[in-house]
Each structure stands twice: as structure tokens, then as C-alpha cells.
Amino acid sequence: MKEPRIIVALDFSSAEQALNLAAQLDPKLCRLKVGKELFTVAGPNLVKQLAREGFDVFLDLKFHDIPSTVSKACKAAVDIGVWMMNVHALGGKKMLFAAREAVPPGTAKLIAVTLLTSMNQDDLNDVGLQGDPKQIVMRLADLTQNCGLDGVVCSALEAGSLRQKLNPGFNLVTPGIRLEENSLDDQKRVSSPSTAIKNGADYLVIGRPITQAQYPLQVVQQLNQLIPM
Ligand code: C5P
């Protein structure tokens, strides 16, 4: 794959901080992720500006609503020029189909979150979901693929078993990546970049190891040397 596989999570509380980091990075070497906090404070103008600067933007808003509402939100994301966006697979088949229809293949990548990694067995029981987290992740990834979406977000530790069962072109996007020298921050189950790629990940979402570094571009370059582009 001759394209950046690192997606830098811009987990900032202002457009200024996000643009300041973007100015230190290179769109040929990484992509950027805008999540709920940053989008809520900075909105579509920031996304458009990052795109104007040449960055591919993953809009991580995890849409989950009735099909027509999700469809319109996805269409709006296409219109502001995002490269990738996501929805919750738990929204179900009709919602996933509606999202796909709003994001025709080739316009932007459309992926789904299966189960939030913050949910354990007790949480599943609380909401009445049957099965263990692994089974549910697999079922939701399968549903996502059958509805024609482009991939799922998953932990690098789950990537191996998903890769075996899903189509080769189905994208696995994995957060929770750390280099050995990094602090874990609040992540519990982490993988190194090379393990994630070996397990079949296509894109790695990496936040604090890059955003909090003294020289962010150097960290991106170092990471790119560990994974084949
Ligand atoms: O700073 P760090 O590398 O931990 O950031 C990881 C990014 O990936 C954050 O934006 C976080 O919200 C996101 N993420 C995650 N775990 C998931 C899904 C998303 O860490 N299961």
C-alpha cells in the first residue's frame, strides 16, 4: 500500500491546537482524525481547512440514529470532503444500508464501530446483549461487511481473528497503538505498530504518542519505518 497508514488522532479542545499540530506534520506521511470534542468546538470549517492543507481526514463521530438521520449526516460528511467516516454497527442493517447509500463507494470510506472497547461482559449483560464481547464483535463485523461498508474499527488484538474471517479488502482500523518507550496513558490493551500490521490492520490510529511528542513529525517518520507503506 503506497499511502500513509498512520492516522493521527487530533484529540484537542481547540482548532488552534489542531492546526498547530497539523502544521508540523506532512500529509504524505500521515492522515488525521477529528473526533467528537474537536468537531464540537471547531466544526466543519476545521475539517475543510485540514483537507485544503492536503490531509485526508477521518471524521470519527460514530453516527448512531434512525436510518434517514444517519444517511443525511453521512451525506453532509461527504460534502465537507472527509476521507473516512464511521457509524455504529449496533444501529443495525437498515441504518448501515442507508449510510452506504449516502456514501457511494469511491466518495469516502465508510467504516463501523463494532463494540466499544470500553464495554466488558457486565456492560453487555446490563444492556441485554447475549454472547461474549469477542462473539459480538465478530457478528457485528460480519454484518458491517454484508451491508457493503469498507471496514471496522477494532483493537489490534482482535484484528488477527477478524482478518481470517473477513474479506481481504475489508479495512481494519486499529487504535491502542504504543511504541515500547511510550506511556500507556489510559489504554489498557495495547499493541506495537508492527504487531498491529502483522495481525492484518490496514490503518493505525495513534494519538498521544504523536500529539504529545516534542517532535511529532519525527515520531511519524519513525513509525513509518516500522510499518510497510
Ligand atoms: O492517544 P491515543 O493513541 O490513546 O488515542 C487513540 C484514539 O483512538 C483516541 O482518539 C480514541 O478515542 C480512539 N479510540 C480508542 N479505542 C477505541 C476506539 C477509538 O482509543 N476502541
Side-chain angles (χ1 to χ4, degrees):
M1 201 190 304
K2 279 261 180 277
E3 51 159 355
R5 301 175 82 160
I6 295 174
I7 304 174
V8 181
L10 296 180
D11 292 327
F12 293 117
S13 55
S14 73
E16 192 190 358
Q17 290 170 304
L19 290 168
N20 181 32
L21 182 79
Q24 299 174 62
L25 299 173
D26 178 348
K28 288 192 283 308
L29 300 182
C30 62
R31 297 177 149 111
L32 302 176
K33 177 170 90 70
V34 173
K36 287 189 166 95
E37 183 190 15
L38 184 58
F39 191 78
T40 302
V41 296
N45 284 341
L46 173 69
V47 173
K48 289 183 198 166
Q49 183 158 353
L50 294 170
R52 272 199 304 273
E53 289 172 12
F55 287 98
D56 282 343
V57 177
F58 169 18
L59 187 64
D60 179 18
L61 297 182
K62 301 184 182 71
F63 297 134
H64 188 174
D65 211 312
I66 57 170
S68 67
T69 301
V70 167
S71 164
K72 287 182 219 159
C74 287
K75 164 98 181 31
V78 171
D79 291 345
I80 61 170
V82 311
W83 160 74
M84 176 185 272
M85 70 189 80
N86 58 2
V87 298
H88 268 285
L90 277 169
K93 201 187 274 181
K94 288 199 218 70
M95 192 205 82
L96 293 170
F97 276 133
R100 177 76 284 177
E101 222 180 291
V103 187
T107 55
K109 280 185 187 280
L110 174 67
I111 64 168
V113 173
T114 55
L115 258 195
L116 292 171
T117 45
S118 52
M119 294 195 81
N120 63 19
Q121 188 71 59
D122 288 340
D123 297 309
L124 298 184
N125 297 342
D126 286 345
V127 296
L129 280 177
Q130 278 178 7
D132 64 38
K134 258 183 143 171
Q135 292 168 319
I136 295 174
V137 165
M138 182 53 71
R139 188 181 320 151
L140 290 170
D142 211 37
L143 176 71
T144 301
Q145 179 170 270
N146 291 338
C147 291
L149 274 68
D150 300 304
V152 285
V153 182
C154 65
S155 92
L157 302 164
E158 291 161 352
S161 52
L162 290 177
R163 184 82 287 160
Q164 279 181 3
K165 300 209 173 89
L166 298 163
N167 296 336
F170 191 72
N171 289 165
L172 302 180
V173 179
T174 59
I177 305 293
R178 290 293 181 271
L179 288 163
E180 261 165 33
E181 63 268 28
N182 293 148
S183 121
L184 292 185
D185 303 307
D186 55 354
Q187 298 280 11
K188 297 209 169 57
R189 297 161 67 235
V190 300
S191 285
S192 71
S194 41
T195 303
I197 296 292
K198 203 152 35 102
N199 288 351
D202 297 287
Y203 300 103
L204 311 183
V205 173
I206 308 178
R208 287 159 292 186
I210 296 169
T211 59
Q212 306 301 312
Q214 195 176 1
Y215 301 107
L217 183 62
Q218 277 182 18
V219 180
V220 170
Q221 288 166 329
Q222 188 189 354
L223 285 159
N224 277 334
Q225 281 177 358
L226 299 173
I227 55 176
M229 284 248 275

